[in-house]
Amino acid sequence: MSGPFDTVSDEAIGEGTATDAYFRRTERTLEHAGKNPRVVAEVTVDQFPTGEFDALAGVKDVANLFEGRAVDVDAIPEGRLFDGGPVMRIEGPYLEFARFETSLLGFLSQASAFATRALEARRAAPDSQVLSFGARHVHPAITPLVERAGLLAGMDGFSHVAAGEVLGREAGGTMPHALMLLFGKGEQEAAWRAFDEAVGEDVPRVALCDTFTDEVDETLRAAAALGDDLDSVRIDTTGSRRGDFRHIVREVRWELDAVGREDVDIFVSGGITPDAMRSLRDIVDGFGVGSYVTNADPMDFALDIVAIEGEAISKRGKLSGVKEVYRTADGGHHVGLADNEAPADAEALFEPLVRDGEIVAEFDVDAAAARLREDAELVDLE
């Protein structure tokens, strides 16, 4: 039974009805013909390395998808970078996983795209606070996917309350323009003071300073109104009013310093991209990044059979045979047949994920974030 919102249920995903119709027809055809061979299938974006690395995410959801199914799954762990070749390998009777291909690819495609974009943002300002502000750009049902991708990429936090409940993390945030508008023009001090009085002591006092007047004017007024309680100001100037945004932020910093408020940080948000972060990171203490991450195009993952009953096979344009992928000592990515000798001093990237329907991998987003940070350094990711 469908609910009030246009989402499929967990049950539909787990039962395999969240699938393309041709998989159900394939099942009926194979059952009619009495065919259900043991196969190996691999998930890839590109067949060969291209020199461009992406971050893998969504693996945890795939593991849960195959729990209780008579299959073995190996995968590159979350928090590793990949460049061509397979990121996942599934082995078992074909009818054990045929109908789950659609959900499997969806889990990986969108999460990996979000994580890759989030990593680009994180590395653009490695010494700054970077928060995920993108939840408003996606369907509410997948906000945990967005926020988990941000954590995986090393972002310092996120804004979505319900996603935080799913992930076991507390959401954070400052104040919206709506709050300032509801107090009214000329009453900015009243809004800032009310916020200070209303929220808990553990909430940073970050004043939004661009609603009615000049950013410098509102910043200095906030500093005067809240005194030493003011931790930071947020500048979220509308794009049509920004002009030279770096110059605006430098003015804010200058005037804060001029009145002895070197302790007040500056946080910026609104259409922030890695290029903007690189241009501002020497004068800005923190960034809110939203649409740059959530506007990412899903990665074009595909699942292809590469062996049937131990015999290598593939469709035209794909590479037959069971493969392994490696991180080479110089930070490269190598794809080879699993039976061939590995490159010298290379690390095999596949690890067991599911064995005969039992999840055997562990999922810790902090450990995955540490792996991704190390991997990005090793491959010299920009």
Side-chain angles (χ1 to χ4, degrees), residues 21-42:
Y22 70 177
F23 287 119
R24 302 185 75 173
R25 292 164 184 165
T26 297
E27 287 180 338
R28 285 196 290 271
T29 302
L30 291 173
E31 289 167 354
H32 173 77
K35 289 181 175 292
N36 187 23
R38 187 172 185 84
V39 307
V40 178
E42 295 175 340

Side-chain angles (χ1 to χ4, degrees), residues 133-198:
F133 279 8
R136 64 184 55 197
H137 301 297
V138 300
H139 194 291
I142 66 166
T143 50
L145 183 71
V146 174
E147 309 300 29
R148 192 175 194 278
L151 294 176
L152 184 70
M155 286 187 169
D156 300 294
F158 53 80
S159 63
H160 199 271
V161 175
E165 293 172 354
V166 172
L167 299 173
R169 304 291 179 98
E170 185 173 358
T174 58
M175 60 181 68
H177 288 100
L179 179 66
M180 304 302 298
L181 292 167
L182 291 168
F183 274 83
K185 188 174 183 179
E187 297 297 326
Q188 293 96 312
E189 286 85 353
W192 296 321
R193 290 192 184 106
F195 181 86
D196 181 39
E197 294 166 2

Side-chain angles (χ1 to χ4, degrees), residues 14 25 33 42 102 112 144 148 152 176 212 217 227 244 250 290 302 348 370 375:
R25 292 164 184 165
E42 295 175 340
T102 304
S112 297
R148 192 175 194 278
L152 184 70
F212 292 110
D217 172 67
D244 187 342
R250 290 183 72 184
D375 229 14

Side-chain angles (χ1 to χ4, degrees), residues 109-273:
S109 295
Q110 203 152 32
S112 297
F114 291 154
T116 299
R117 281 288 188 92
L119 180 63
E120 292 172 12
R122 172 71 275 180
R123 290 184 64 79
D127 299 320
S128 305
Q129 182 186 50
V130 181
L131 302 180
S132 171
F133 279 8
R136 64 184 55 197
H137 301 297
V138 300
H139 194 291
I142 66 166
T143 50
L145 183 71
V146 174
E147 309 300 29
R148 192 175 194 278
L151 294 176
L152 184 70
M155 286 187 169
D156 300 294
F158 53 80
S159 63
H160 199 271
V161 175
E165 293 172 354
V166 172
L167 299 173
R169 304 291 179 98
E170 185 173 358
T174 58
M175 60 181 68
H177 288 100
L179 179 66
M180 304 302 298
L181 292 167
L182 291 168
F183 274 83
K185 188 174 183 179
E187 297 297 326
Q188 293 96 312
E189 286 85 353
W192 296 321
R193 290 192 184 106
F195 181 86
D196 181 39
E197 294 166 2
V199 302
E201 293 183 1
D202 59 326
V203 177
R205 269 47 180 177
V206 183
L208 182 59
C209 293
D210 60 26
T211 306
F212 292 110
T213 67
D214 176 82
E215 293 87 353
V216 171
D217 172 67
E218 291 199 356
T219 291
L220 294 180
R221 288 166 63 182
L226 296 186
D228 291 341
D229 289 336
L230 181 65
D231 295 304
S232 177
V233 295
R234 179 164 73 97
I235 309 299
D236 188 63
T237 308
T238 303
S240 63
R241 294 290 185 269
R242 283 196 175 183
D244 187 342
F245 194 45
R246 177 177 170 83
H247 194 281
I248 292 172
V249 176
R250 290 183 72 184
E251 283 186 52
V252 171
R253 180 75 274 161
W254 178 280
E255 298 300 339
L256 278 171
D257 293 351
V259 296
R261 295 308 306 269
E262 297 90 347
D263 61 305
V264 176
D265 289 340
I266 298 174
F267 188 93
V268 299
S269 57
I272 298 297
T273 66

Side-chain angles (χ1 to χ4, degrees), residues 270-339:
I272 298 297
T273 66
D275 285 343
M277 297 170 77
R278 282 185 281 268
S279 73
L280 294 168
R281 63 190 181 189
D282 62 319
I283 54 173
V284 164
D285 302 285
F287 298 90
V289 181
S291 59
Y292 182 77
V293 172
T294 51
N295 286 356
D297 292 331
M299 292 187 181
D300 192 15
F301 281 109
L303 184 145
D304 293 285
I305 293 173
V306 297
I308 299 176
E309 298 293 356
E311 296 294 325
I313 195 171
S314 70
K315 73 175 187 180
R316 293 175 60 196
K318 297 299 177 83
L319 305 178
S320 64
V322 180
K323 300 164 203 72
E324 180 60 87
V325 288
Y326 303 89
R327 179 74 70 247
T328 58
D330 61 356
H333 194 78
H334 178 79
V335 182
L337 288 170
D339 291 338

